[in-house]
Amino acid sequence: MELLGSTQIATYTRPKTSHFLPAISTMASSYRSHQPLSTSNPNANMPWRTDTYYRAGSGIPPSLSSIPRDALDLVRAKTTLFPSNRAALSARYMPDDWHKSNQSHYRESESSRNSAERLRRDTVRLMQDKDHLTRRSQETTSRNLGERLNDISFWRSELSHEVNNMVTEIAALTEVKRRLERALAETESPLQVAQECLYHREKRMSIDLVHDDVEKDLIKEVEVIKSCQERMRRHLDRAVAQLASNRAAQHELERDVNDKVTAQRIDDRCHHLRNTSDGISYYRGIDRLDPSLSLPDTWSKFTDDNILHSQSERAASHKLRDDIEVLLNTTSNEMWKQFNAVNMAFTSRLSETADAKNSLQTHLAKTLQEIFQTETLIESLKRAIRDKEAPLKVAQTRLEERTRRPNVELCRDYPHHRLVSEVREIEDTIHCLRERLMEAEGTLQTLVKAKVSLEHDLSIKANSLFLDQEKCMSMRKTFPSTPRLVGYS
């Protein structure tokens, strides 16, 4: 509320002598020389009067504490005392009021100063505390960033170590897989040889087309090689799948390592940021919580899970490599064992066939000798029969001639009986010789058939020997070595 009769309004009632307030002595003299102004409202310029102030103050009597001290002093200093105003002197403040006002102002000033000083001290202390808190918070954040960098460095080293181990394992498994492929390729030649041997032995003839031990071992060799190939293919498929799993785990590790490198670079830059660093700025709302961010537990668990997954894949890969090594050695031993068994069966069969062929040749020679002797016998029998024809003719001619004796001279005398006996003896002899000739000729036919059978059997044995020895054993002279069967070459 603005007071009426302020110093600015009072200056218009007298001429301006200076821009500054006059001294007390000057003001006293001016009071005596200055003439009062005639106004229609003599109370308008007298704010010290009680009724004027009451009207200006909305009917509420003012107190000393409610009037500003400076305004009150100026009013009292600049108010011109007129004799007509003596009646209002009784309305002035008492000295006690004056002292109380001063004491009140002193107390208010002291209270304001104390409040200001307390506020200043509290503010300085607050600024110091907040500055200390800010520095401590920044140091804590820097220390946390350093610890975070240590954690990232630790997990990065663990990931790098695991990546190196995985790369080594992938290289080892790739090499074993390559050996397995070479070993699988090496089994094709023994399989083809065994099948060719079976096909060649199908060309045996007659009785030699027998399901002997050689054929059984050859069939078993084919089954063994095919079984080894099937196991190799299964392990090869497992190796391909395991390599894919290893590379997937390596990819996850490398991606995690790259993320760790990026995070470490960013956190290292943040760790070295200072209040005087370049590039710092305000980013409003950056401190809001993002629900998609990971937590320290999930962060470390993610990397730990990647490492554990890689270690499990490496363990499976190492076990698979051991299985492949065992498989290569086992298949090599099985094929070599069956190969030797087949060769031994071939050797035994060839020996048996050769013995049989030699026996047949011996029997054939004896048969040929016997045929020759039988033919000689037949010729002798035929000659003996021819030799008996003349005596028979003589005896029969004698009998025929004696039948021409006349009358009683035609007597069956002893010569007649003897001639009859001789004819019968010669005929019996010829009949016996002819029977023996027929028997000899039958024996000769039997010997000839035996000769033909022996010769045919000899040809069969020769064919079997040729197939087993020349065709089969010549192919089986070469067999993959053990280093080739285990994939080293």
Side-chain angles (χ1 to χ4, degrees), residues 197 200-201 204 208 210 212-215 217-218 341-360 460-477:
C197 290
H200 283 304
R201 285 177 62 82
R204 291 174 298 168
D208 274 14
V210 64
D212 52 4
D213 293 336
V214 177
E215 187 171 356
D217 288 335
L218 282 174
V342 172
N343 288 345
M344 292 178 62
F346 262 114
T347 303
S348 177
R349 186 61 178 173
L350 286 172
S351 177
E352 292 177 357
T353 306
D355 292 341
K357 182 182 177 183
N358 293 332
S359 298
L360 288 173
I460 291 174
K461 297 298 184 290
N463 179 67
S464 298
L465 286 173
F466 174 76
L467 293 175
D468 289 346
Q469 189 170 8
E470 301 297 330
K471 293 289 186 179
C472 295
M473 292 303 292
S474 62
M475 290 189 300
R476 299 183 66 84
K477 289 180 180 178

Side-chain angles (χ1 to χ4, degrees), residues 13-79:
T13 61
R14 64 181 182 274
K16 293 182 179 181
T17 59
S18 175
H19 294 289
F20 301 98
L21 293 176
I24 297 176
S25 62
T26 306
M27 291 179 64
S29 62
S30 63
Y31 290 153
R32 291 190 296 269
S33 63
H34 191 268
Q35 297 297 326
L37 294 175
S38 59
T39 58
S40 58
N41 188 4
N43 296 326
N45 293 325
M46 296 179 184
W48 54 271
R49 292 181 63 86
T50 306
D51 55 352
T52 303
Y53 184 76
Y54 285 170
R55 288 194 299 270
S58 302
I60 302 174
S63 63
L64 291 176
S65 60
S66 63
I67 301 174
R69 181 180 179 184
D70 295 338
L72 184 61
D73 293 339
L74 289 175
V75 169
R76 291 176 179 176
K78 295 181 180 181
T79 304

